[in-house]
Amino acid sequence: IKPGWFSEINDLWPGVSLSLEVVKILHRERSQYQDVMVLDTKSHGRALILDGIIQCTENDEFSYQEMIAFLPLCSHPNPKTVLIVGGGDGGVAREVAKHPQVEKIVQVEIDPKVLEVSKKYLSYMGVGLDHPKVTLNVGDGFQFLKQHTGEFDIIITDSSDPVGPAECLFQESYFNLMKSALKPGGIVCSQAGTAWANLDHVTQTLQHCKALFPVASYGVVSVPTYPTGQIGFVLGGLSTETNFKEPKKVFSNSELDQMNMKYYDHDVHRAAFILPRFITKALNKA
Ligand code: AAT
């Protein structure tokens, strides 16, 4: 490995890794749950790394955060109450808070160290955590959901990859807990990995969702600093009226500008669900 560079080496994407040239290590410590690191990089601004895996970089985080928030929000006729599981950097809360219909955002993040370093070093996302619509809880999303039934219009799971504390957030039992925590017509949207490196895993997560929700889809977004440059979300809806491929809420160009949206619009929403043949074929088996 080249000195002065960070390489994202992990068995989830064997034999290949993205590297970033490091200007400075701003923070590094072992929290109760994981290794927490904040880097200043030469080309991508500041980056949050957990257990050696890139969670986000300043330059391209907007694509992931806008899409994981607005795909479910704009698929719902009236999203008032939103739960975010994970997302300790604050980027998803920042995005959800932009939606004019959203009144209340509840968030549960397992690692208080992630909240702390995000507020301190990554304020471009950390601002989301202090938004007046947001109520922040520290805890395990899986356990949190056991205490909540029929409360949320939308549940967004912005979780790290299925190694370490996030492993439980990819199980069918987790989808079942989310289902009970939703209001009628509710929608879930979960980080579900990339089809390029982990097609079996994507298929399995969609299977869990399909087993419990009458409507389920996989949508993609490009994120240059995530493994393979692409990641996807599994979305599930309780109502057969839900159609993820056709947004219910369409924002005008000037509204999108006012909301400072850089990636999401209604056409990008539709396109997210148009998938290459090898992915469609695999997912049809789910
Ligand atoms: N916003 C994009 C960044 C993330 S962060 C994922 C967050 O999930 C982390 O802050 C982590 O501490 C939190 N987390 C992990 N497990 C749990 C849990 N059981 N309950 C609550 N929060 C949890 C996503 C990065 C995706 C990376 C793709 N390679």
Side-chain angles (χ1 to χ4, degrees):
I1 307 168
K2 244 184 136 176
W5 286 67
F6 164 80
S7 290
E8 188 189 43
I9 295 169
N10 195 284
D11 287 342
L12 284 171
W13 35 90
V16 58
S17 86
L18 183 103
S19 299
L20 292 165
E21 190 169 356
V22 179
V23 175
K24 196 176 176 193
I25 300 171
L26 296 171
H27 186 91
R28 181 154 199 194
E29 78 184 293
R30 255 219 90 77
S31 77
Q32 190 187 340
Y33 298 99
Q34 52 208 344
D35 181 81
V36 179
M37 187 159 69
V38 182
L39 300 178
D40 192 13
T41 71
K42 193 160 185 180
S43 59
H44 281 72
R46 293 186 173 189
L48 175 67
I49 320 280
L50 299 177
D51 279 344
I53 297 179
I54 298 169
Q55 306 296 300
C56 33
T57 80
E58 194 164 352
N59 277 22
D60 63 9
E61 53 89 11
F62 66 88
S63 67
Y64 175 88
Q65 328 269 24
E66 286 184 21
M67 290 293 273
I68 197 174
F70 280 80
L71 290 179
L73 286 170
C74 292
S75 300
H76 193 287
N78 193 12
K80 283 191 185 156
T81 315
V82 179
L83 173 68
I84 300 167
V85 176
D89 50 65
V92 176
R94 180 195 68 201
E95 292 306 318
V96 174
K98 288 177 178 176
H99 195 291
Q101 283 166 310
V102 171
E103 294 170 359
K104 189 177 162 202
I105 304 167
V106 179
Q107 181 166 352
V108 55
E109 159 64 47
I110 202 166
D111 194 337
K113 274 292 160 206
V114 176
L115 300 169
E116 195 186 308
V117 300
S118 301
K119 284 188 188 183
K120 187 164 175 195
Y121 297 105
L122 309 166
S123 56
Y124 58 94
M125 296 187 292
V127 286
L129 302 170
D130 290 325
H131 194 281
K133 288 183 189 176
V134 177
T135 310
L136 201 51
N137 301 271
V138 173
D140 177 6
F142 195 92
Q143 299 305 327
F144 183 89
L145 278 173
K146 288 185 183 166
Q147 330 292 330
H148 296 266
T149 42
E151 277 180 48
F152 306 105
D153 296 308
I154 311 273
I155 300 175
I156 296 170
T157 305
D158 177 22
S159 93
S160 22
D161 294 314
V163 280
E167 208 179 323
C168 57
L169 307 181
F170 293 80
Q171 309 299 323
E172 190 171 316
S173 51
Y174 178 71
F175 279 88
N176 212 6
L177 285 173
M178 288 200 289
K179 187 180 175 181
S180 320
L182 286 176
K183 288 185 182 175
I187 286 174
V188 298
C189 177
S190 281
Q191 195 272 87
T194 172
W196 286 106
N198 307 110
L199 191 52
D200 289 352
H201 175 243
V202 172
T203 309
Q204 199 188 63
T205 309
L206 184 63
Q207 240 162 21
H208 296 331
C209 190
K210 272 192 179 167
L212 298 163
F213 290 83
V215 187
S217 295
Y218 177 72
V220 295
V221 54
S222 88
V223 187
T225 56
Y226 279 170
T228 79
Q230 191 183 62
I231 198 162
F233 312 111
V234 161
L235 292 102
L238 283 181
S239 164
T240 49
E241 306 272 287
T242 301
N243 174 12
F244 294 117
K245 297 171 179 77
E246 192 50 48
K248 283 220 161 46
K249 170 84 185 163
V250 173
F251 290 104
S252 68
N253 259 323
S254 64
E255 284 173 321
L256 292 166
D257 284 343
Q258 268 168 23
M259 292 155 80
N260 190 26
M261 301 296 276
K262 292 186 271 194
Y263 194 98
Y264 179 92
D265 74 8
H266 48 277
D267 280 332
V268 171
H269 181 130
R270 294 184 186 108
F273 297 98
I274 302 191
L275 301 168
R277 297 186 74 235
F278 79 97
I279 304 181
T280 306
K281 277 190 185 171
L283 297 184
N284 280 342
K285 291 183 201 132

